[in-house]
Amino acid sequence: MINLFLAIFFSTLAFAFVDPFFFIGYLISIAIFGLYQAIYMANAGGAWDNAKKLVETELNAKGTELHAATVVGDTVGDPFKDTSSVALNPIIKFTTLFGLLAIELAIEMAHKQQVWTWIIAGIFFVLSTVFVTRSFYSMRIQADDNEKGSKSNCSTSGEKACCCSAAK
């Protein structure tokens, strides 16, 4: 969560230092897309949760393959409706708050030293990409040594994906 927080923080500061109108567009887009993403996640999570309840109560199909599928869907649906969709509201508020605080400083600096404003925006953007990279690539679950050994036996042809997925 810290990586995502810092990625959003530094990207907001970078966009605030680029140009005030660019930043206004950024705020509008994050509000619109964040709103629709939150609505989607809340509705999808609720639908998955309700599907499991319907299979258990209305269809009395507990223990069947249909029930197993809805349990898997409910595993995804609960975080969607309970955490992810709800967490987008503070992200939008946080982005707006820090951006509006930073935009005043950026406007003052742009009147005095335009070059430094672009340099600071570049530094913030590089920091943002570092934290995005850390969040998406450095936090992946690594394979065990046993799994690596079985994957090395896979051929390099098109069979590799099938062979390696079967090794898991």
Side-chain angles (χ1 to χ4, degrees):
M1 291 301 290
I2 299 244
N3 287 325
L4 290 175
F5 169 78
L6 291 175
I8 291 170
F9 176 74
F10 284 122
S11 64
T12 301
L13 292 179
F15 295 146
F17 275 86
V18 168
D19 185 57
F21 296 108
F22 182 76
F23 180 68
I24 291 168
Y26 169 72
L27 284 182
I28 291 170
S29 67
I30 202 167
I32 290 172
F33 290 113
L35 170 70
Y36 285 115
Q37 184 68 24
I39 290 171
Y40 158 74
M41 293 175 83
N43 286 335
W48 276 324
D49 192 37
N50 290 340
K52 181 179 157 244
K53 289 175 185 169
L54 183 114
V55 167
E56 289 176 352
T57 58
E58 300 292 323
L59 300 177
N60 293 324
K62 216 170 190 181
T64 63
E65 287 190 32
L66 178 63
H67 182 255
T70 59
V71 168
V72 171
D74 187 48
T75 305
V76 176
D78 281 340
F80 258 41
K81 71 178 175 58
D82 294 338
T83 58
S84 300
S85 63
V86 179
L88 285 172
N89 186 30
I91 288 174
I92 294 168
K93 287 182 179 181
F94 164 77
T95 301
T96 306
L97 174 71
F98 281 104
L100 291 176
L101 293 173
I103 196 76
E104 184 66 33
L105 177 64
I107 290 172
E108 288 295 320
M109 285 186 67
H111 290 301
K112 297 176 185 174
Q113 300 168 337
Q114 181 69 32
V115 176
W116 280 105
T117 305
W118 283 96
I119 291 171
I120 291 171
I123 291 169
F124 285 146
F125 187 74
V126 168
L127 284 171
S128 170
T129 55
V130 165
F131 287 109
V132 167
T133 304
R134 283 182 57 185
S135 177
F136 288 107
Y137 294 109
S138 299
M139 297 182 71
R140 291 183 293 178
I141 298 172
Q142 301 297 323
D144 293 336
D145 290 335
N146 295 339
E147 289 181 10
K148 288 180 184 176
S150 63
K151 287 182 184 177
S152 64
N153 296 334
C154 297
S155 64
T156 57
S157 66
E159 304 166 357
K160 183 174 183 177
C162 179
C163 175
C164 290
S165 64
K168 290 182 181 177

